[in-house]
Amino acid sequence: MLAWSSPASPDQAAEFDAWYESTHIPQIRAAIPSIIAVSRYQLVDPESPGRSDRYLAVYELDTDDIPAAAAALADSAAAGRMDMTTAMNVTDNPPAAQWFQEVAGLARRAQARRRTDR
């Protein structure tokens, strides 16, 4: 799953980052137990100096059942188990999630090869 988000304002970036790392990611991982890794990235424009206000979180899942993972996340949100923050921009540049599925299992085969090579 890819999740795009932004802080509500530049002066709320530190609060946004702290919430994302200490609250949001653990709650997402609790909702979707098949998440095996999470990485966050900040958008960089090589042509424009300065800090970007758009972030990407990449959630790696160890399942092919994307509909079940999406349903688990929706159920957790509906049950009130997702704490939001005012430090997230939900109007001008709202969060957006996209679900992707691995193509042909290439990464898992590579991981299995690495495990057997040890």
Side-chain angles (χ1 to χ4, degrees):
M1 174 177 65
L2 301 181
W4 296 93
S5 58
S6 301
S9 66
D11 59 327
Q12 290 180 293
E15 179 184 348
F16 171 76
D17 287 339
W19 166 81
Y20 212 99
E21 294 289 333
S22 66
T23 302
H24 192 61
I25 289 174
Q27 289 176 343
I28 297 286
R29 292 187 82 150
I32 307 172
S34 61
I35 292 175
I36 58 171
V38 180
S39 301
R40 287 187 69 216
Y41 303 89
Q42 184 175 20
L43 181 64
V44 174
D45 180 355
E47 301 297 321
S48 176
R51 183 180 168 105
S52 168
D53 69 344
R54 196 67 168 161
Y55 293 81
L56 171 66
V58 178
Y59 297 85
E60 185 178 341
L61 284 71
D62 190 19
T63 183
D64 290 330
D65 194 351
I66 302 303
L73 183 58
D75 291 348
S76 186
R81 293 189 296 267
M82 295 288 163
D83 297 325
M84 292 306 292
T85 178
T86 58
M88 178 185 278
N89 186 337
V90 294
T91 55
D92 301 349
N93 205 357
Q98 300 169 314
W99 295 87
F100 289 83
Q101 189 167 31
E102 185 179 25
V103 177
L106 297 176
R108 287 195 198 127
R109 286 197 296 272
Q111 287 174 351
R113 276 195 303 274
R114 284 193 297 271
R115 284 193 289 268
T116 59
D117 290 344
R118 292 181 188 168

